[in-house]
Amino acid sequence: MPTTMQTKLEDKILAVLDANHICSFATIDGDKPIVRYMVLHHEGLKLYVTTSRKTDKVDELKTNPHVHVLVGYDGKPSSQILQIQATAEVSSSQILRDKLWSADMKKWFDGPQDPNYVILEITPTNIQYVSDTEEPQVWQP
């Protein structure tokens, strides 16, 4: 894909990420997918979700780092949707934990230094952008 087309597609993808703070996040447990809703953060095309070190998804990523993220469906015909194939890794970077911390997390964690509070860093390998006004487009790094 020529650079200008790639840049335009990335701009569309970023607009969807900016407009949506909830995603469906899928991991693999054995040979079965497991999907859950997660709060989504991003810096450019790098995605992040916060979770507890003690969750099944963290254990599942140790065995299989491949994940799928669905972003954007709002039940309306004009939805712009992202289907994201990616890999994820668990990070306990204090910089990320401080940056992504919110008061809402106090229900689950003692604070951004809580050792059970971790960040899942998600690196897309393929993003399909779907809109009702144009043909699906695929971004790859």
Side-chain angles (χ1 to χ4, degrees):
M1 181 180 299
T3 305
T4 55
M5 288 181 68
Q6 181 83 355
T7 301
K8 286 180 183 178
L9 177 56
E10 287 177 9
D11 289 344
K12 292 176 189 178
I13 291 168
L14 291 171
V16 175
L17 292 172
D18 288 341
N20 293 276
H21 303 285
I22 302 294
C23 69
S24 295
F25 178 75
T27 56
I28 303 296
D29 182 16
D31 60 352
K32 296 178 182 161
I34 305 294
V35 181
R36 64 278 275 169
Y37 290 112
M38 302 288 294
V39 174
L40 179 66
H41 307 272
H42 77 96
E43 287 182 352
L45 298 180
K46 183 75 154 187
L47 310 177
Y48 304 96
V49 296
T50 60
T51 193
S52 172
R53 181 179 303 283
K54 297 179 181 180
T55 60
D56 291 340
K57 64 183 122 353
V58 169
D59 291 337
E60 292 155 6
L61 290 173
K62 290 176 187 172
T63 306
N64 187 338
H66 298 281
V67 299
H68 192 92
V69 180
L70 174 63
V71 181
Y73 181 71
D74 60 7
K76 298 175 187 168
S78 62
S79 293
Q80 294 176 313
I81 299 169
L82 303 178
Q83 294 274 356
I84 304 169
Q85 296 174 14
T87 57
E89 61 182 284
V90 178
S91 172
S92 48
S93 159
Q94 194 59 52
I95 293 169
L96 275 176
R97 292 174 355 146
D98 289 340
K99 186 175 197 167
L100 299 179
W101 176 259
S102 74
D104 295 339
M105 294 180 191
K106 289 180 182 178
K107 295 182 258 189
W108 302 285
F109 305 106
D110 294 331
Q113 289 77 28
D114 187 321
N116 290 316
Y117 167 53
V118 295
I119 310 299
L120 302 184
E121 290 190 56
I122 303 165
T123 304
T125 55
N126 179 298
I127 302 174
Q128 182 181 34
Y129 170 86
V130 179
S131 168
D132 70 335
T133 60
E134 53 192 310
E135 292 295 316
Q137 299 172 54
V138 176
W139 174 93
Q140 292 181 313

